[in-house]
Amino acid sequence: MKRVFGIICFAVFCLGALAGCVSGAQPQTGDTDENLRDTILVGFSQVGAESEWRVANSESMKAALSEENGYELIFDDARNEQENQIRAIRTFIQQDVDYIVFSPRVETGWNSILLEARDAGIPVIVIDRDIEVKDRNLYTAYIGSDFRKEGETAMRWLENLLTRQGRTQNPVNIVHIQGTIGSSAQIGRTAALEQALGRNTNWQIVAQECGDFTRAKAYEVMGAILKETKDIDVVYCENDGEALGAIDAMEEAGLSCGTNGGVIVISFDATKLGLTYCKEGKIALNVECNPLQGPYVADMIQRMERGEKVEQEKYVDETYFESQTITQEMIDSREY
Ligand code: AHR
């Protein structure tokens, strides 16, 4: 119903634009503005609540797609199960929502459900993690992070640090705690590490385990690794929760973390807590992964409502923080 209405709006908009071409630019008609304010029904399947990052991401979506902003948001927490996400998306299709948004647990396995959404004529926006599908036209757009770039930022930083410390020849023992296997966040960050291993022949992985992006799991796997070896130079964690869990386990085992003689911990996300650990020197480098994606989604929906063509890929802005240069102001200004 709303989509039909949207098409009519679009037609009105096009006619208005055409008239503008003929007789000079005209202000939008009152009718079109009215129509753009009609409530937009959005179904959002969130992967879960596994990390502080994820909670901030959910809050950002809820704030941007609020009633005051003209939306009705159906929020579904998939509790970290892909089947739950597929079920939620199918329900959104049955509810005839105007837009489907989802943050996929893993990259693959979305072809059939996206085909169903396309057959129903519902635009799909993928956020946060990317997907791999047979036909790129199965979804409208992706808004999220360039995880490979995040990992490459971390690797370049580590290479520079070790070069400055004269450690280009000695063996560098790395523990790798991976995120949810098959998620694009894991795939991109892992790929960057693997690529760096290829060009730094003195680096070696002494242990690789999945921490599933949670503090508890990382604490558990790091504890088990430490029973095997304590000869560790670097711990590469694929998010802040994992870094915190790994640090807990290392401190319990009597290891200290830091860039001057301690274990160098690298993390991703840059949440307030992660940055606090960074300022304390326990996380040496924290590469930002920006969860505040709600405004980007709202902006894209508004442009689609106006009948504008939107970009197929939109990467959010991200930076990084080092323990040597981070300030309290940077932490205080963090929203999450
Ligand atoms: O997909 C983004 C990742 O998922 C974040 O790094 C992590 O904290 C979250 O759970």
Side-chain angles (χ1 to χ4, degrees):
M1 189 62 180
K2 287 195 176 69
R3 272 191 309 288
V4 172
F5 190 54
I7 290 164
I8 295 168
C9 289
F10 182 39
V12 171
F13 174 78
C14 289
L15 282 173
L18 199 62
C21 289
V22 177
S23 59
Q26 300 291 317
Q28 299 267 312
T29 66
D31 268 348
T32 306
D33 284 344
E34 280 284 315
N35 295 345
L36 290 177
R37 278 199 298 271
D38 186 49
T39 299
I40 300 165
L41 184 60
V42 179
F44 173 43
S45 165
Q46 176 59 285
V47 66
E50 74 283 1
S51 60
E52 295 204 17
W53 186 100
R54 184 66 53 200
V55 174
N57 182 250
S58 296
E59 291 308 316
S60 170
M61 292 292 288
K62 287 176 188 171
L65 304 179
S66 65
E67 257 178 57
E68 306 83 76
N69 291 345
Y71 297 91
E72 187 183 336
L73 179 67
I74 310 171
F75 181 92
D76 186 89
D77 177 343
R79 298 183 306 281
N80 231 359
E81 297 286 347
Q82 184 175 26
E83 305 86 76
N84 291 344
Q85 292 204 281
I86 291 173
R87 206 173 303 126
I89 294 171
R90 190 161 289 129
T91 305
F92 297 152
I93 296 170
Q94 285 157 4
Q95 288 168 316
D96 193 27
V97 298
D98 296 313
Y99 295 88
I100 292 172
V101 182
F102 77 110
S103 165
R105 181 175 189 275
V106 289
E107 278 193 355
T108 57
W110 304 104
N111 285 299
S112 310
I113 192 67
L114 291 182
L115 205 55
E116 288 176 38
R118 188 168 74 179
D119 288 348
I122 302 175
V124 175
I125 302 173
V126 179
I127 68 155
D128 164 28
R129 301 174 184 170
D130 209 348
I131 56 173
E132 219 188 87
V133 280
K134 281 194 200 123
D135 176 2
R136 176 58 189 81
N137 292 318
L138 280 174
Y139 60 102
T140 309
Y142 165 71
I143 298 173
S145 302
D146 187 337
F147 298 109
R148 177 72 183 251
K149 190 171 156 208
E150 290 176 356
E152 286 168 357
T153 301
M155 290 299 90
R156 268 195 310 276
W157 178 89
L158 182 61
E159 284 171 336
N160 288 337
L161 176 75
L162 295 175
T163 305
R164 280 201 311 275
Q165 295 181 338
R167 296 164 73 183
T168 52
Q169 304 301 320
N170 322 351
V172 175
N173 292 343
I174 302 175
V175 168
H176 180 196
I177 313 280
Q178 294 181 290
T180 302
I181 303 299
S183 67
S184 65
Q186 175 270 314
I187 292 170
R189 291 167 186 167
T190 293
L193 172 61
E194 281 167 357
Q195 193 183 35
L197 282 163
R199 56 177 190 260
N200 293 279
T201 48
N202 59 321
W203 294 13
Q204 56 193 4
I205 300 283
V206 292
Q208 184 181 60
E209 293 291 343
C210 176
D212 219 3
F213 288 131
T214 69
R215 185 172 184 163
K217 186 80 195 296
Y219 171 75
E220 184 191 315
V221 297
M222 192 69 210
I225 292 166
L226 288 164
K227 288 197 176 102
E228 301 298 317
T229 180
K230 290 197 178 59
D231 188 7
I232 301 166
D233 299 298
V234 176
V235 180
Y236 182 82
C237 298
E238 292 187 356
N239 84 340
D240 275 349
E242 291 182 349
L244 267 47
I247 291 167
D248 290 343
M250 283 190 280
E251 288 183 341
E252 266 179 40
L255 294 187
S256 67
C257 302
T259 48
N260 291 321
V263 178
I264 300 165
V265 177
I266 293 177
S267 181
F268 297 87
D269 284 358
T271 58
K272 209 165 198 148
L273 190 54
L275 292 185
T276 305
Y277 270 61
C278 190
K279 182 141 190 308
E280 288 168 1
K282 295 179 180 181
I283 292 177
L285 174 75
N286 207 329
V287 181
E288 183 182 40
C289 181
N290 184 355
L292 306 180
Q293 297 168 359
Y296 290 88
V297 174
D299 173 65
M300 184 171 278
I301 289 178
Q302 287 303 320
R303 285 185 286 135
M304 287 163 75
E305 287 289 297
R306 291 196 294 268
E308 292 172 20
K309 198 168 157 43
V310 296
E311 60 278 30
Q312 282 205 321
E313 251 174 17
K314 169 78 189 157
Y315 291 117
V316 294
D317 298 330
E318 295 176 336
T319 182
Y320 65 90
F321 301 87
E322 303 169 272
S323 59
Q324 290 107 329
T325 51
I326 188 168
T327 63
Q328 191 57 44
E329 291 69 48
M330 290 175 186
I331 300 174
D332 294 342
S333 63
R334 210 82 186 137
E335 284 179 44
Y336 50 92

